[in-house]
């Protein structure tokens, strides 16, 4: 009996506890709240993990009913209660911390208790009436934390990945749009932060889009490693306490419910103890995060200044950049994406160490694995969106500055080397560096090429490689060769 109307009494093998009367969770969750005040972040911060847990419970109820180990009335109540959680209800009742001991038992029991009490309420019974419907004997029938928890993590990540991939593709398309917008904007390419040869700003942004497209495919490939699950393994993979028909039935129902291409692991003992799939998936997230960080670095460099830096592009001004320097605006959006990448890289190391730390038939550290990967995928999705909406979509090119920089760049003369020779090109490059004059003007003044020939060879299409030279170009070694060059240039 409860001490007062605001609580109810529940018991387990360790004794009794008072539970808030309106709570859908029970005594096992209450003990976890006492034991693990670590992260101060409930598992409900990861919505798709909660949805996945409910999907596993729903699939199990349907499988148990199908094979005859759970009566239809109780199975249907669990099924309907699980659906309400899948639909977004009661997520605030999933209160255990994301970091916990016990290999995820507290999370599994939190789900069992919440779904059971929802079902009891739907049946017109009071919360905690476990004699009619038990969190363990009924909602957890044919299951163990050791197959429920890793399966729910994998299903949740599969669901979460869908929205990440959507954001990644939107960001890729945003860079492609800028590549089209800047297709004719010449600039100086750089290697090792030193001036190299010309390219277009469109080519640079197209490169960003291409690398993100590659990551899209790598993430999808690694996601399939998550779709091998161990439902039916129970404690260590031997399937103890389960009906032989349970495993194929629960996988079939879970595949239908989740829409994911799940399959039962061939070796349930191995699958229960091995967490390598999480490490591979985390690694692919890190790869994407680091490449996003590199792109963000480039955006910060290209927009640096605006007067004393590169100043090639303009990022949208999002906020005042200084409390002491008036007018200063900082590249805050790329900066936050950099920090997301740092966190993802750190989380990947955490996952690696947790995978290594598993012992014998179970890895006890799946809670930190789950937290690390779900946090990474959540932050990356949000980072991609703010990068797209608050930065990339509003980038503009500083066309006048870029034109001036290309015109005076000694890298431009590389395109004229086949026509004027290396020695003459080197001499004119030195003059251009000392005087800051336009390279094309110097070549014309030296009477090495005509203005028409220079303009043709220094066109955006030629300089950026979009219009390739299809045959050998003769090198001028003496004034006598100029007429031959002129005829050849006109032919092309």
């Amino acid at each position: 009996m409860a001490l007062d109307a605001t609580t109810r009494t529940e018991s387990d093998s360790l004794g009794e506890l008072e539970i808030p009367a309106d709570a859908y969770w029970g005594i096992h969750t209450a003990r976890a709240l006492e034991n693990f005040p670590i992260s101060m972040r409930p598992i409900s911060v990861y919505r798709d993990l909660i949805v996945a847990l409910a999907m596993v419970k729903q699939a199990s109820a349907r499988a148990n009913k199908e094979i005859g180990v759970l009566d239809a009335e109780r199975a249907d109540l669990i099924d309907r209660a699980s659906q309400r959680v899948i639909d977004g209800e009661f997520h605030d009742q999933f209160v255990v911390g994301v970091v916990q001991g016990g290999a995820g038992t507290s999370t599994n029991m939190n789900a069992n208790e919440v779904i059971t009490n929802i079902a009891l309420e739907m049946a017109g019974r009071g919360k905690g009436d476990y004699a009619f419907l038990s969190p363990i004997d009924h909602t957890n029938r044919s299951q163990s934390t050791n197959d429920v928890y890793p399966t729910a993590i994998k299903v949740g990540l599969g669901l979460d990945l869908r929205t990440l991939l959507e954001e990644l593709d939107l960001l890729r398309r945003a860079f492609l749009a800028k590549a089209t917008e800047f297709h004719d904007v010449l600039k100086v390419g750089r290697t090792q932060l030193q001036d190299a040869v010309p390219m277009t700003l469109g080519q640079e942004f197209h490169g960003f889009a291409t690398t993100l497209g590659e990551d899209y495919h790598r993430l999808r490939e690694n996601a399939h490693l998550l779709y091998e699950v161990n439902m039916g393994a129970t404690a260590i993979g031997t399937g103890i306490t389960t009906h032989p028909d349970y495993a194929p039935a629960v996988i079939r129902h879970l595949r239908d419910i989740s829409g994911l291409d799940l399959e039962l692991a061939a070796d349930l003992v191995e699958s229960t103890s091995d967490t390598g799939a999480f490490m591979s998936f985390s690694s692919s997230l890190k790869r994407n995060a680091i490449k996003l960080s590199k792109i963000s670095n480039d955006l910060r460099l290209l927009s640096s200044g605006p007067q004393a830096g590169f100043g090639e592009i303009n990022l949208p001004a999002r906020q005042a950049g200084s409390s002491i320097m008036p007018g200063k605006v900082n590249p805050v959006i790329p900066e936050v994406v950099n920090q997301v990448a740092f966190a993802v890289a750190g989380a990947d190391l955490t996952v690696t160490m947790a995978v290594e730390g598993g012992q014998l038939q179970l890895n006890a550290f799946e809670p930190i694995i789950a937290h690390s990967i779900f946090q990474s995928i959540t932050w990356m999705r949000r980072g991609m969106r703010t990068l797209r909406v608050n930065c990339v979509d509003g980038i503009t090119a500083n066309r006048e500055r870029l034109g001036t920089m290309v015109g005076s760049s000694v890298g431009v003369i590389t395109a004229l080397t086949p026509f004027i020779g290396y020695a003459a090109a080197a001499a004119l490059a030195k003059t251009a560096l000392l005087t800051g004059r336009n390279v094309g003007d110097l070549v014309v003044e030296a009477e090495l090429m005509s203005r028409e020939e220079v303009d043709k060879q220094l066109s955006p299409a030629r300089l950026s490689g979009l219009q390739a030279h299809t045959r050998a170009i003769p090198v001028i070694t003496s004034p006598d060769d100029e007429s031959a060059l002129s005829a050849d240039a006109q032919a092309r």
Side-chain angles (χ1 to χ4, degrees):
M1 182 175 294
L3 294 177
D4 58 61
T6 63
T7 64
R8 68 176 187 268
T9 304
E10 291 194 13
S11 61
D12 63 6
S13 59
L14 299 182
E16 295 184 341
L17 281 180
E18 295 304 308
I19 306 300
D22 61 350
Y24 288 84
W25 45 266
I27 189 169
H28 294 90
T29 301
R31 294 199 188 282
L33 292 173
E34 293 179 356
N35 292 333
F36 312 123
I38 309 300
S39 65
M40 306 309 289
R41 299 175 68 187
I43 56 174
S44 59
V45 298
Y46 303 127
R47 178 189 180 278
D48 284 332
L49 175 59
I50 305 307
V51 170
L53 284 163
M55 286 179 171
V56 171
K57 296 302 173 182
Q58 186 178 59
S60 293
R62 293 179 183 181
N64 285 327
K65 175 184 174 181
E66 178 183 312
I67 64 177
V69 301
L70 189 61
D71 65 275
E73 181 184 9
R74 290 181 174 85
D76 290 343
L77 281 169
I78 295 167
D79 189 333
R80 290 163 54 205
S82 298
Q83 187 61 50
R84 293 182 69 182
V85 176
I86 292 170
D87 291 340
E89 295 185 67
F90 304 102
H91 283 210
D92 63 332
Q93 297 297 307
F94 290 80
V95 294
V96 298
V98 293
V99 179
Q100 56 190 250
T105 297
S106 296
T107 293
N108 184 37
M109 286 308 302
N110 193 169
N112 286 331
E113 290 172 339
V114 170
I115 290 172
T116 297
N117 281 308
I118 295 170
L120 285 169
E121 199 169 65
M122 293 170 66
R125 295 174 178 269
K127 297 183 185 72
D129 186 4
Y130 300 147
F132 174 74
L133 187 66
S134 165
I136 296 177
D137 292 333
H138 301 123
T139 304
N140 200 61
R141 186 65 182 266
S142 305
Q143 304 154 62
S144 163
T145 292
N146 300 349
D147 57 1
V148 167
Y149 189 61
T151 297
I153 295 172
K154 290 178 177 181
V155 171
L157 289 174
L159 298 174
D160 225 10
L161 180 62
R162 291 172 176 173
T163 53
L164 178 72
L165 289 176
E166 288 172 3
E167 283 296 342
L168 178 55
D169 191 51
L170 287 171
L171 182 59
R172 180 188 68 85
R173 291 173 183 271
F175 277 114
L176 274 180
K178 289 297 169 182
T180 300
E181 180 182 343
F182 302 147
H183 76 281
D184 60 343
V185 182
L186 275 176
K187 60 161 286 175
V188 178
R190 298 178 181 86
T191 58
Q192 297 164 272
L193 289 179
Q194 305 301 304
D195 296 349
V197 295
M199 64 185 302
T200 66
L201 192 60
Q203 287 174 311
E204 192 162 31
F205 275 72
H206 193 279
F208 297 154
T210 299
T211 198
L212 294 179
E214 290 174 353
D215 279 349
Y216 182 96
H217 294 296
R218 297 297 86 75
L219 283 165
R220 290 191 64 181
E221 288 171 2
N222 276 326
H224 284 285
L225 298 173
L226 300 174
Y227 296 161
E228 181 183 275
V229 298
N230 71 329
M231 284 303 295
T234 63
I236 63 171
T238 61
I240 192 170
T241 75
T242 61
H243 189 283
D245 295 333
Y246 170 77
V250 74
I251 291 297
R252 185 177 70 255
H253 285 296
L254 188 54
R255 189 163 45 233
D256 291 341
I257 293 166
S258 67
L260 300 175
D261 190 21
L262 305 172
E263 62 178 342
L264 184 66
D267 186 331
L268 293 180
V269 172
E270 183 276 338
S271 183
T272 303
S273 63
D274 178 57
T275 51
F278 294 127
M279 185 166 58
S280 296
F281 184 67
S282 176
S283 177
S284 65
L285 288 174
K286 181 183 72 171
R287 166 189 158 126
N288 184 209
I290 295 304
K291 290 166 77 170
L292 279 170
S293 189
K294 189 273 180 188
I295 291 171
S296 295
N297 290 340
D298 286 353
L299 294 178
R300 290 192 296 116
L301 277 173
L302 295 174
S303 65
S304 61
Q307 294 172 303
F310 285 11
E312 296 188 2
I313 61 174
N314 308 299
L315 306 185
R318 297 302 305 173
Q319 65 185 54
S322 173
S323 61
I324 189 173
M325 292 173 280
K328 190 172 188 288
V329 178
N330 295 327
V332 294
I333 303 302
E335 286 174 351
V336 78
V337 174
N338 286 135
Q339 291 173 80
V340 167
F342 305 158
V344 172
D348 181 63
L349 178 58
T350 298
V351 171
T352 300
M353 297 309 298
V355 169
E356 187 276 336
Q359 298 160 321
L360 303 177
Q361 278 67 61
L362 183 67
N363 189 309
F365 308 119
E366 286 183 354
I368 196 65
I369 291 175
H371 167 54
S372 299
I373 301 179
F374 274 110
Q375 175 177 280
S376 291
I377 208 170
T378 300
W379 286 15
M380 284 176 64
R381 181 177 64 247
R382 294 170 180 169
M384 288 176 191
R385 186 179 190 282
T386 196
L387 182 62
R388 171 175 57 88
V389 173
N390 295 320
C391 183
V392 176
D393 285 348
I395 291 175
T396 58
N398 195 337
R399 293 173 180 259
E400 184 177 347
R401 179 177 175 83
L402 286 167
T404 301
M405 293 170 71
V406 170
S408 61
S409 170
V410 296
V412 169
I413 209 164
T414 302
L416 304 180
T417 301
F419 300 91
I420 65 176
Y422 186 89
L428 291 178
K430 184 176 181 180
T431 301
L433 277 174
L434 291 173
T435 64
R437 293 191 59 199
N438 183 282
V439 169
D441 292 342
L442 293 175
V443 172
V444 173
E445 288 178 10
E447 299 183 350
L448 295 174
M449 296 177 69
S450 70
R451 171 59 67 183
E452 182 182 4
E453 291 164 347
V454 166
D455 289 345
K456 182 175 182 178
Q457 300 307 321
L458 297 187
S459 68
R462 285 288 179 92
L463 286 178
S464 62
L466 297 176
Q467 184 182 84
H469 297 289
T470 57
R471 54 197 172 103
I473 301 172
V475 176
I476 295 179
T477 56
S478 70
D480 295 335
D481 295 321
E482 290 184 15
S483 57
L485 170 65
S486 179
D488 185 71
Q490 289 175 7
R492 287 197 299 275

